[in-house]
Structures are given as structure tokens and as C-alpha cells.
């Protein structure tokens, strides 16, 4: 499992945010709630895909998960939606199919990262990107780990 590395500009995400315990998350419900409001978000997006972002919240095993659309810098969020900023960063980008998402996350953090000479960049969320046809297998899911040199 070898990633490609990308330097990406800052990103602004708008969507539905929920504090979740990773081991107990109901992904169908989380993404279902997002897709119920997708028609409000789609016209605001700067790309047609959707993002899942995992923001640390200071509680072990828990994160603030944001199912979101990337938007421009001046876009007002629809009522009840959160806005989060992702700073410019270097990313290790892994590709996988939908059924492999969980196993890929596990392999990144248990196998690849500890042996990579890199560390996760503090304060930056790990993310997933789903192109419009990722759910049908037409495009891979991108899993993005924010990284920096260990030294």
C-alpha cells in the first residue's frame, strides 16, 4: 500500500456535523442525512463530489465527523449546517473501492503510517473524497491522511 503525495490548498467544507464514536458509527444514517439535504448543497459546491472529514474533538475514540461539500470562500451555509476550514496541507492519498474503506483506514494507521517516517499533522482532519460515481465503482474513494515529517 503506497500512497501518492499531494500538496493541496486550503479547503472550506459545508455540511452536517455529528460527534461520533468511530467504532459505533452508523455510516448509513450519517450519509443518509447528508444526502437528504444534498439538493441544498450541490449548487454551492466547487466540485461535484462529497467529503467526509474527521476532526479531532479531544475525546479518545471520538471525532466530529462532517459529511460535506467543498464550497467557495464566501458561500453562506444553509440553515443548520456547519462550516469547517481545512488548512493547506501535504496529504498521503490512498485509493480504494467502497467496500474496502474500513480496511484501508485500518491499514493506513496501523501499518503504513508507523513505518513511513511521517506523522499525522496535528489539527488537520483526515478525509475521504467520493467522486459522483464512487458508489457505483466508477471512481475510487480517496482517503487522505494529513502528514508531515516526523522530525
Amino acid at each position: 500500500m503506497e500512497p501518492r503525495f499531494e500538496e493541496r490548498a486550503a479547503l472550506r467544507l459545508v455540511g452536517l456535523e455529528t460527534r461520533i464514536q468511530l467504532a459505533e458509527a452508523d455510516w448509513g444514517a450519517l450519509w443518509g442525512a447528508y444526502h437528504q439535504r444534498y439538493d441544498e448543497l450541490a449548487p454551492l459546491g466547487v466540485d461535484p463530489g462529497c467529503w467526509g472529514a474527521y476532526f479531532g474533538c479531544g475525546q479518545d475514540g471520538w471525532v466530529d465527523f462532517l459529511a460535506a461539500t467543498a464550497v467557495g470562500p464566501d458561500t453562506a451555509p444553509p440553515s443548520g449546517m456547519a462550516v469547517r476550514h481545512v488548512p493547506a496541507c501535504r496529504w498521503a492519498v490512498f485509493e480504494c473501492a467502497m467496500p474496502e474503506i474500513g480496511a484501508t483506514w485500518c491499514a493506513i494507521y496501523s501499518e503504513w503510517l508507523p513505518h513511513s517516517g511521517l506523522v499525522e499533522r496535528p489539527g488537520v482532519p483526515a478525509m475521504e473524497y467520493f467522486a459522483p460515481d464512487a458508489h457505483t465503482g466508477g471512481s475510487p474513494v480517496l482517503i487522505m491522511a494529513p502528514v508531515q515529517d516526523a522530525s
Side-chain angles (χ1 to χ4, degrees), residues 101-112:
I101 292 173
T104 302
W105 278 113
C106 288
I108 291 167
Y109 284 94
S110 67
E111 299 168 24
W112 178 79

Short mmCIF file of all heavy atoms in Angstrom, two decimals, residues 101-112:
data_model
loop_
_atom_site.label_atom_id
_atom_site.label_comp_id
_atom_site.label_asym_id
_atom_site.label_seq_id
_atom_site.Cartn_x
_atom_site.Cartn_y
_atom_site.Cartn_z
N ILE A 101 -13.17 0.58 2.36
CA ILE A 101 -12.87 1.81 3.10
C ILE A 101 -12.36 1.51 4.51
O ILE A 101 -11.31 2.00 4.92
CB ILE A 101 -14.09 2.75 3.14
CG1 ILE A 101 -14.39 3.29 1.75
CG2 ILE A 101 -13.85 3.92 4.11
CD1 ILE A 101 -15.67 4.09 1.65
N GLY A 102 -13.09 0.73 5.28
CA GLY A 102 -12.69 0.45 6.66
C GLY A 102 -11.33 -0.22 6.74
O GLY A 102 -10.48 0.16 7.55
N ALA A 103 -11.10 -1.22 5.90
CA ALA A 103 -9.82 -1.92 5.90
C ALA A 103 -8.69 -1.00 5.48
O ALA A 103 -7.57 -1.10 6.01
CB ALA A 103 -9.89 -3.14 4.98
N THR A 104 -8.96 -0.09 4.57
CA THR A 104 -7.92 0.85 4.12
C THR A 104 -7.55 1.81 5.24
O THR A 104 -6.37 2.06 5.49
CB THR A 104 -8.38 1.60 2.86
OG1 THR A 104 -8.69 0.64 1.83
CG2 THR A 104 -7.29 2.55 2.36
N TRP A 105 -8.55 2.37 5.94
CA TRP A 105 -8.26 3.24 7.08
C TRP A 105 -7.40 2.50 8.10
O TRP A 105 -6.41 3.05 8.60
CB TRP A 105 -9.55 3.70 7.76
CG TRP A 105 -10.23 4.87 7.13
CD1 TRP A 105 -11.44 4.86 6.51
CD2 TRP A 105 -9.78 6.23 7.07
NE1 TRP A 105 -11.76 6.13 6.07
CE2 TRP A 105 -10.75 6.98 6.41
CE3 TRP A 105 -8.62 6.87 7.52
CZ2 TRP A 105 -10.63 8.35 6.17
CZ3 TRP A 105 -8.50 8.23 7.30
CH2 TRP A 105 -9.49 8.95 6.63
N CYS A 106 -7.78 1.27 8.42
CA CYS A 106 -7.02 0.49 9.41
C CYS A 106 -5.58 0.28 8.95
O CYS A 106 -4.64 0.45 9.74
CB CYS A 106 -7.69 -0.86 9.66
SG CYS A 106 -9.21 -0.73 10.61
N ALA A 107 -5.38 -0.07 7.69
CA ALA A 107 -4.04 -0.31 7.18
C ALA A 107 -3.19 0.96 7.19
O ALA A 107 -1.99 0.92 7.49
CB ALA A 107 -4.10 -0.90 5.78
N ILE A 108 -3.80 2.09 6.88
CA ILE A 108 -3.06 3.36 6.88
C ILE A 108 -2.49 3.64 8.26
O ILE A 108 -1.30 3.92 8.41
CB ILE A 108 -3.96 4.53 6.42
CG1 ILE A 108 -4.30 4.39 4.93
CG2 ILE A 108 -3.27 5.87 6.70
CD1 ILE A 108 -5.43 5.31 4.48
N TYR A 109 -3.35 3.56 9.28
CA TYR A 109 -2.92 3.97 10.61
C TYR A 109 -2.23 2.88 11.41
O TYR A 109 -1.47 3.18 12.33
CB TYR A 109 -4.11 4.57 11.38
CG TYR A 109 -4.39 5.96 10.89
CD1 TYR A 109 -5.33 6.20 9.89
CD2 TYR A 109 -3.66 7.04 11.36
CE1 TYR A 109 -5.56 7.48 9.40
CE2 TYR A 109 -3.88 8.32 10.89
CZ TYR A 109 -4.83 8.53 9.91
OH TYR A 109 -5.04 9.80 9.42
N SER A 110 -2.43 1.61 11.07
CA SER A 110 -1.76 0.55 11.83
C SER A 110 -0.51 0.03 11.13
O SER A 110 0.40 -0.46 11.80
CB SER A 110 -2.72 -0.60 12.10
OG SER A 110 -3.07 -1.26 10.90
N GLU A 111 -0.44 0.12 9.81
CA GLU A 111 0.70 -0.43 9.08
C GLU A 111 1.53 0.63 8.37
O GLU A 111 2.72 0.73 8.57
CB GLU A 111 0.20 -1.46 8.05
CG GLU A 111 -0.53 -2.64 8.67
CD GLU A 111 -1.25 -3.49 7.63
OE1 GLU A 111 -0.86 -3.47 6.44
OE2 GLU A 111 -2.21 -4.17 8.02
N TRP A 112 0.88 1.42 7.51
CA TRP A 112 1.66 2.33 6.68
C TRP A 112 2.27 3.48 7.48
O TRP A 112 3.48 3.70 7.43
CB TRP A 112 0.80 2.88 5.53
CG TRP A 112 1.58 3.84 4.70
CD1 TRP A 112 2.50 3.53 3.74
CD2 TRP A 112 1.59 5.26 4.82
NE1 TRP A 112 3.07 4.67 3.25
CE2 TRP A 112 2.52 5.76 3.90
CE3 TRP A 112 0.91 6.17 5.63
CZ2 TRP A 112 2.78 7.12 3.74
CZ3 TRP A 112 1.16 7.52 5.48
CH2 TRP A 112 2.09 7.98 4.55
#
